[in-house]
Amino acid sequence: MITFKDRIKLKYPTLSSGQKKVGKYVLDYPQALAMKSASQLGQDVGVSETTIIRFCYALEYSGYSELQAEIRQFLIFEKSSFQDYQAMKAGEANQPNFFFQNMQRDQGHIQKIIEQINEEDLYRAAKKIYDSDNILVAGVRTSFAVAHWLSFALNIVRGNAHLVQPGVDDINFLFSKINNQSIFVAITFHRYSSMTLDLAKLAKKQGAYIIGITDSVLSPLEEFADTLLPINLSSTSTLDTGPAVLSLINAIVAGVAVIDKDSFERRREAYEKFNPGEFLI
């Protein structure tokens, strides 16, 4: 079933600037539309009532009332992504080839990202990372593992990559070294981390080039990102997006590695020659 969220994301590129403001507001605050009239919502967003009505038509609703009714139903029956994940897996548990089916679903998600992402954006991200000597990567909660892997891999192929960990790092010192030659990679998905967004905003203010990895062009990360890589898998849980996100960042790391093959080969040899003894354990 296509939801109002799916419609907004699908139609977003074709919306007027005012309608885009409405779309972002509705995704962030659906309860506002459920509770208020079109004119009241328009006052909240800063657009006219006419823009609200045209927004509904652009999403192919008969009017404001139809969209409002759908959102009210959504708020009544809304479940967390983890509930969706558990329900989906439980429903498949007794089917044959359970594990292979899950792996095939991951393949489908990766293929969907291939169709969505502009390859020029991937090249631009890889080139910017390669050209920078100060690479910061941030992601918390479900994004932490991905951010950790990206910073680790970039240190192997490029060097000078740092995983930002508030509470561990001295953020003031770390960000005082950021300038217009720095790269900040921010990774955050639905229920977007305010911490990651604040760090991206601060890095942007310091002059860094921001690469955003998120789930939609409507993500609040879009405000700060110079290159945005949206992974639009809205029908899946946060856990189900993991393999597809890893595939995307692995492609970026591969791009960084092949820009200067000789440099990467020297780093690889140095890495493999190093023998730290008991620290291998």
Side-chain angles (χ1 to χ4, degrees):
M1 177 182 175
I2 298 178
T3 67
F4 73 94
K5 292 185 176 182
D6 297 324
R7 294 194 191 205
I8 293 172
K9 292 176 181 179
L10 180 65
K11 298 286 188 180
Y12 187 79
T14 64
L15 299 178
S16 68
S17 59
Q19 290 168 358
K20 286 179 178 179
K21 287 179 63 177
V22 179
K24 286 185 176 182
Y25 191 88
V26 170
L27 287 179
D28 289 339
Y29 309 104
Q31 62 274 17
L33 191 146
M35 301 290 292
K36 298 183 178 183
S37 67
S39 61
Q40 290 171 328
L41 185 69
Q43 290 176 5
D44 289 348
V45 180
V47 300
S48 67
E49 181 179 356
T50 301
T51 298
I52 300 292
I53 302 303
R54 288 176 176 170
F55 168 77
C56 297
Y57 292 153
L59 299 188
E60 299 182 5
Y61 289 101
S62 61
Y64 186 77
S65 296
E66 184 181 4
L67 174 56
Q68 189 176 56
E70 180 181 321
I71 289 179
R72 284 173 176 170
Q73 285 294 108
F74 167 79
L75 293 173
I76 291 171
F77 296 107
E78 183 181 22
K79 298 181 294 183
S80 74
S81 62
F82 294 114
Q83 287 177 300
D84 290 337
Y85 179 85
Q86 183 182 31
M88 179 186 296
K89 303 312 174 190
E92 297 172 346
N94 296 322
Q95 296 181 17
N97 303 317
F98 170 81
F99 297 103
F100 291 158
Q101 283 187 33
N102 277 270
M103 294 168 72
Q104 288 171 343
R105 184 178 296 109
D106 292 341
Q107 287 182 317
H109 294 163
I110 293 170
Q111 182 59 43
K112 187 173 182 180
I113 291 176
I114 291 172
E115 295 168 359
Q116 292 174 350
I117 297 290
N118 187 330
E119 191 167 6
E120 291 181 2
D121 289 337
L122 290 176
Y123 176 79
R124 184 181 304 107
K127 186 65 166 61
K128 286 287 186 179
I129 290 171
Y130 178 82
D131 289 337
S132 175
D133 288 330
N134 183 22
I135 307 161
L136 301 176
V137 183
V140 299
R141 299 201 300 267
T142 55
S143 300
F144 178 79
V146 178
H148 185 278
W149 190 92
L150 178 58
S151 63
F152 175 83
L154 287 177
N155 263 325
I156 294 176
V157 303
R158 181 65 184 87
N160 297 307
H162 184 88
L163 176 65
V164 180
Q165 300 183 72
V168 177
D169 290 313
D170 183 339
I171 298 298
N172 288 340
F173 176 75
L174 194 63
F175 276 64
S176 70
K177 297 189 294 183
I178 291 178
N179 55 39
N180 59 9
Q181 299 300 311
S182 302
I183 294 293
F184 187 87
V185 183
I187 306 172
T188 187
F189 296 91
H190 179 60
R191 295 185 178 174
Y192 311 100
S193 164
S194 59
M195 182 179 296
T196 301
L197 295 172
D198 288 343
L199 291 173
K201 182 179 180 180
L202 179 58
K204 182 82 169 180
K205 185 178 180 180
Q206 290 292 99
Y209 187 93
I210 311 297
I211 298 171
I213 300 175
T214 187
D215 56 2
S216 169
V217 294
L218 298 173
S219 164
L221 188 56
E222 184 270 341
E223 180 181 349
F224 313 113
D226 297 290
T227 293
L228 189 72
L229 301 174
I231 297 172
N232 186 3
L233 298 174
S234 59
S235 62
T236 68
S237 74
T238 306
L239 292 177
D240 268 329
T241 64
V245 178
L246 282 169
S247 180
L248 174 67
I249 64 173
N250 188 54
I252 295 172
V253 172
V256 175
V258 301
I259 289 175
D260 187 342
K261 296 179 182 179
D262 293 338
S263 176
F264 171 62
E265 185 62 21
R266 288 193 296 271
R267 291 191 61 79
R268 184 193 63 78
E269 290 177 357
Y271 185 83
E272 292 181 352
K273 285 179 180 178
F274 182 63
N275 184 4
E278 69 267 18
F279 294 108
L280 284 173
I281 297 174

